[in-house]
Amino acid sequence: MQSKPFITLVGAGPGDPDLITLKGIKAIQDADVILYDALVNQEVLAYAKPSCTKIYVGKRAERISTSQDYINKLLVDYALTHGHVVRLKGGDPFVFGRGGEELDYVRRFNIPTAVVPGISSSTGLTGLQQIPLTYRGVSESFWVITGATSDGRLSDDLYTAVNTKATVVVLMGHAKLDQIISLYKENGRNDLPIALIQNGSLPNERVALGTIDTIIEESNKKTIGVPAIIVLGEVVSKHLAFKIVKEKIQSLAV
C-alpha cells in the first residue's frame, strides 16, 4: 500500500558520509523516493531500502544543472504518487540550500513536511580544520555569506563584512575570489588571515592558508578549485599550519 504524501528535507552534511545525523539516516531508510544533490556523498544512499527510487537533481555553479522549478515540481509529483519523498541536500537545507523555497512550494499543495538539519560546511569544515569561528578577544561573532547573488553580483553583505572584526565565511564564492581579495585590499585588510577549503572532510581535501596579500599565490600552489569555502578573519591564524609558518617567520626575523 502506498504511504501518504510526505516530504522531508534532510541535510547530509559537508561531504564525509559519517557526518550525517542518525535522524537523517532514519529518514533515508524510510524514503520511497530520494531527490539528491551534487554535493551529497552517494555512500549515504546505501541506507535506502531496495524499492526506493533515487533521482539525481544536482546543481553546480557554472555547470548545466537541474532547475529549481523542476525540482519543486518533482517533489510534489513524487509525494503524490509514491509517498515519502526525502530531499537530500549537502550541508544544511536552510544554509544556502534553498530549503525554505522548496517548503514554500510544497506547502501550497497541503503536503506535510519535516526538516532534518545537517552540518553546514560553514561550521563543519572550519571545525574539522580546528579554526574556531569565535574566540574570546578575537572574534565575537561569525557571518555566513553567499559569494554571489542570483544575478551574479558580489553579495552586498560583503561590502559591510569587510569592515567587521567578525569571522566571515563565504560559501559558493570561489569564482569571486579575485573580487573579494580586491575588496579587502581596497579597505586596507591586506594582512588579514584567510583560508580556502576545497572538498572539505573528504580524502581529496585541499587547504590553502595565507593573508589577503598572499592567498592567490597559495591558492595557485595548491590548485584550489570548486567546491570550496572561504574563511576570513583573525581566527584563521589559530590553524595549526598557519601558526607553524608564523613562528618560522618570527624566528627568522630574530
Side-chain angles (χ1 to χ4, degrees), residues 16-232:
D16 183 339
D18 288 344
L19 292 177
I20 190 172
T21 64
L22 180 57
K23 192 164 187 175
I25 291 172
K26 289 179 178 179
I28 291 172
Q29 291 172 331
D30 185 65
D32 298 304
V33 178
I34 298 174
L35 304 182
Y36 65 96
D37 277 350
L39 295 180
V40 169
N41 191 316
Q42 294 189 32
E43 288 184 33
V44 301
L45 297 177
Y47 292 111
K49 57 192 176 187
S51 61
C52 178
T53 301
K54 308 176 191 73
I55 303 168
Y56 173 78
V57 289
K59 296 195 294 292
R60 284 286 187 91
E62 302 175 359
R63 299 183 188 179
I64 296 174
S65 59
T66 310
S67 74
Q68 187 61 53
D69 287 344
Y70 183 61
I71 293 171
N72 292 345
K73 292 175 183 176
L74 286 180
L75 284 169
V76 172
D77 289 347
Y78 277 108
L80 295 175
T81 59
H82 287 66
H84 185 195
V85 177
V86 163
R87 178 70 173 100
L88 191 58
K89 296 170 171 288
D92 180 272
F94 286 170
V95 183
F96 298 115
R98 297 188 180 180
E101 295 176 36
E102 292 176 356
L103 286 187
D104 283 345
Y105 184 84
V106 301
R107 283 171 178 166
R108 290 160 48 188
F109 298 85
N110 296 315
I111 298 172
T113 59
V115 176
V116 180
I119 298 175
S120 169
S121 60
S122 59
T123 55
L125 300 188
T126 49
L128 289 171
Q129 287 298 319
Q130 300 181 35
I131 298 173
L133 291 175
T134 60
Y135 195 99
R136 283 192 299 174
V138 179
S139 175
E140 298 176 355
S141 64
F142 66 92
W143 300 18
V144 183
I145 302 175
T146 182
T149 59
S150 57
D151 58 2
R153 295 181 298 104
L154 197 64
S155 172
D156 290 339
D157 289 340
L158 278 166
Y159 291 90
T160 303
V162 69
N163 292 311
T164 182
K165 291 183 179 179
T167 306
V168 177
V169 182
V170 183
L171 305 186
M172 301 171 291
H174 188 266
K176 299 288 185 181
L177 181 60
D178 287 343
Q179 292 182 46
I180 294 170
I181 295 303
S182 295
L183 175 63
Y184 272 75
K185 284 183 176 180
E186 289 167 6
N187 285 270
R189 307 300 300 278
N190 302 60
D191 295 328
L192 187 71
I194 177 174
L196 308 179
I197 307 172
Q198 178 188 2
N199 294 321
S201 80
L202 296 173
N204 59 342
E205 179 181 74
R206 292 178 179 175
V207 179
L209 300 164
T211 64
I212 292 297
D213 273 344
T214 66
I215 194 60
I216 296 297
E217 181 181 354
E218 293 300 320
S219 177
N220 291 336
K221 286 180 182 178
K222 299 291 181 65
T223 60
I224 301 293
V226 295
I229 71 169
I230 304 169
V231 189
L232 302 118

